[in-house]
Amino acid sequence: SSSSSSSSSSSSNTTPPLQPKKDSSSPSYWRSRRQQQQQQRQRQPQTAQQQTLQYAIVENNKKLERLAKDEGRLQDAHNLVLSLDAQKKDRISYHTVMREWQNCKDPTVDIFSKLQELVMDMEQESLLRQQQQQEKSNNGNTTTTASTSSTTTTNPVLDISPNQITFAIWMNSCGSSGSSSSSTQEGSEEIIQQTRHVMDCARKRGIVPNLVTMNTALKTIANKDAPRAESMLHAMRDAAKAAMINANGDNDDNGVVSNDNEMNNDNEKQPPQQQVIKEEHCILPDAISYGTVIDAYAKSKRPDAATYASQIFQLMIQDHTEWNPDSKPNVECYNSVLKGWALRPVKGSAQKAMNILLAMEKAYHAGNSTVAPNVITYSTVMNACVSILS
């Protein structure tokens, strides 16, 4: 009896230490358990036919990738993804071919039209897949249909409709080689029209352009026409600034719009302003937005390009000081302005480059690590000084 009691006591003593090993008290433990259970529930309704289709999608994507990367066979991959059955391809199938078209350097290929054809086919195949699901749901077998349709609609792998990534790739093709054969004003107008067409198609499908999409549009337009890109930047900032001022005015007890200092110092008013921007589908330009236009002017052949680049840079600093927390200048923006003065050896350009360098060093020593001068900074300033002497 004593041995049995001792064994029972020893077993009771050895049982509790097993609990901490499972981390059952940790929230992450139960979170992982719930995820595992959800995955198991998602796997259970899948039939053998659905598993076969998913395997076919994976194999087709591998084949498409091999064809698309094979030199001279990109058109074959394009034709293949169009000919595949709607149940045997997904977004990755289309995106694989679209990205390779985007990297195509053949000037005889109309890349924009190629990507447009793929996007339109995605939309048609998505509608076809929805019709097929609807026909299944109208059949008499309600139990099987319910489980199949729920799995199909909740599984993102089986969704084939165009999304933000699709339109971002398509928009980026507006500035790729082959999509526009001229760098003149006519070529700039063509790229702007293409960009607007992509954005209109996205909005018609309920896809609101985000900051990445808008920055891509800015880049494609800036590659051809810096003033047009500047106009687009002003449209972005004006809409976002108006939304933030309106939000700040709505929060004011007196119904009067608060001044800039109040908007900077009152951190409690920032969340409502950001919420209004999202509700009105305004896009707050960031450092990349401003830097794209600055760099476009710096690289352009306009004789006054450096002056325009400096003006956009000063606007960027002013916006960050007054209302836009996302427009904080970084070292890339400073280097773009420096490049503008270094490429134009006019009177005073070297001194202006030196002043920008001193401002960067002052801001860096004050604690702003994002503007720390790098090798490009110093070499650009030296080139500005040497170009005056030569």
Side-chain angles (χ1 to χ4, degrees):
S1 61
S2 59
S3 60
S4 61
S5 62
S6 61
S7 61
S8 61
S9 61
S10 62
S11 61
S12 61
N13 293 334
T14 56
T15 303
L18 296 177
Q19 298 297 329
K21 294 181 180 180
K22 295 182 180 181
D23 293 330
S24 59
S25 60
S26 174
S28 60
Y29 169 79
W30 293 109
R31 192 181 305 115
S32 62
R33 284 290 301 272
R34 285 194 297 269
Q35 291 176 355
Q36 292 176 1
Q37 292 174 358
Q38 290 176 359
Q39 292 175 359
Q40 290 176 359
R41 281 194 293 267
Q42 290 177 357
R43 295 193 196 101
Q44 287 174 359
Q46 278 196 345
T47 63
Q49 182 182 6
Q50 291 173 338
Q51 294 178 358
T52 303
L53 289 175
Q54 288 203 0
Y55 178 78
I57 290 175
V58 174
E59 292 300 316
N60 287 332
N61 288 343
K62 292 180 181 179
K63 184 177 181 180
L64 283 168
E65 186 175 5
R66 289 194 299 267
L67 278 176
K69 292 183 178 298
D70 192 3
E71 185 177 359
R73 303 200 64 184
L74 181 54
Q75 184 61 47
D76 295 337
H78 182 97
N79 297 334
L80 177 61
V81 73
L82 293 177
S83 62
L84 286 173
D85 184 79
Q87 300 292 333
K88 297 183 179 180
K89 55 186 175 182
D90 58 1
R91 284 199 191 112
I92 299 177
S93 309
Y94 287 92
H95 291 173
T96 300
V97 181
M98 292 177 70
R99 287 193 174 96
E100 291 302 322
W101 276 126
Q102 181 183 334
N103 298 328
C104 180
K105 302 302 180 182
D106 189 353
T108 62
V109 179
D110 188 355
I111 301 175
F112 183 84
S113 298
K114 294 289 185 182
L115 268 61
Q116 182 177 12
E117 184 180 7
L118 292 173
V119 174
M120 296 301 105
D121 190 71
M122 290 179 71
E123 185 68 22
Q124 294 176 3
E125 295 290 347
S126 177
L127 293 175
L128 177 61
R129 184 174 288 182
Q130 293 176 7
Q131 292 175 0
Q132 293 175 351
Q133 294 176 8
Q134 186 65 28
E135 291 176 357
K136 289 182 180 180
S137 63
N138 293 333
N139 292 334
N141 192 358
T142 57
T143 56
T144 306
T145 306
S147 62
T148 305
S149 61
S150 62
T151 306
T152 305
T153 55
T154 57
N155 193 346
V157 177
L158 299 179
D159 192 0
I160 203 171
S161 60
N163 61 359
Q164 283 277 10
I165 299 176
T166 308
F167 288 101
I169 299 173
W170 187 17
M171 182 175 292
N172 201 28
S173 71
C174 299
S176 303
S177 64
S179 61
S180 180
S181 59
S182 175
S183 60
T184 60
Q185 184 68 21
E186 182 180 355
S188 302
E189 290 291 343
E190 181 183 357
I191 288 181
I192 293 171
Q193 291 176 4
Q194 291 175 349
T195 303
R196 289 176 178 172
H197 176 69
V198 175
M199 295 178 66
D200 290 341
C201 291
R203 288 192 178 98
K204 289 179 181 178
R205 289 159 177 80
I207 299 176
V208 180
N210 56 16
L211 181 59
V212 176
T213 309
M214 296 302 296
N215 283 342
T216 303
L218 269 175
K219 182 179 179 181
T220 55
I221 295 176
N223 288 336
K224 292 292 183 179
D225 196 337
R228 294 297 183 98
E230 180 185 356
S231 300
M232 184 175 177
L233 174 64
H234 282 297
M236 290 174 61
R237 63 179 294 276
D238 290 346
K241 186 176 182 181
M244 294 185 74
I245 291 177
N246 291 335
N248 193 62
D250 293 338
N251 293 330
D252 194 356
D253 295 334
N254 297 326
V256 180
V257 177
S258 302
N259 57 30
D260 294 332
N261 292 329
E262 291 175 346
M263 190 156 57
N264 284 328
N265 297 329
D266 194 355
N267 294 327
E268 295 179 357
K269 294 181 180 179
Q270 289 299 326
Q273 293 166 356
Q274 298 293 343
Q275 184 64 29
V276 168
I277 287 179
K278 292 181 180 179
E279 291 175 356
E280 297 186 4
H281 304 302
C282 297
I283 299 174
L284 194 66
D286 62 352
I288 298 177
S289 310
Y290 292 86
T292 299
V293 180
I294 294 171
D295 191 64
Y297 271 122
K299 295 188 296 186
S300 66
K301 298 180 181 180
R302 296 167 57 104
D304 54 354
T307 303
Y308 280 101
S310 298
Q311 290 177 356
I312 299 297
F313 182 70
Q314 293 300 324
L315 179 65
M316 180 182 186
I317 296 176
Q318 180 182 350
D319 288 351
H320 178 258
T321 303
E322 295 178 354
W323 64 275
N324 188 354
D326 294 342
S327 65
K328 184 178 181 180
N330 51 30
V331 65
E332 286 80 10
C333 297
Y334 278 95
N335 288 343
S336 295
V337 180
L338 286 172
K339 179 168 55 178
W341 291 115
L343 295 177
R344 290 157 188 86
V346 296
K347 183 178 180 180
S349 60
Q351 185 60 45
K352 290 180 179 178
M354 286 296 300
N355 293 338
I356 295 173
L357 175 60
L358 293 176
M360 294 178 67
E361 292 179 339
K362 182 179 179 180
Y364 172 68
H365 291 300
N368 187 0
S369 60
T370 61
V371 297
N374 53 23
V375 176
I376 299 176
T377 308
Y378 290 105
S379 61
T380 305
V381 175
M382 287 189 291
N383 289 334
C385 297
V386 171
S387 61
I388 295 295
L389 298 177
S390 59

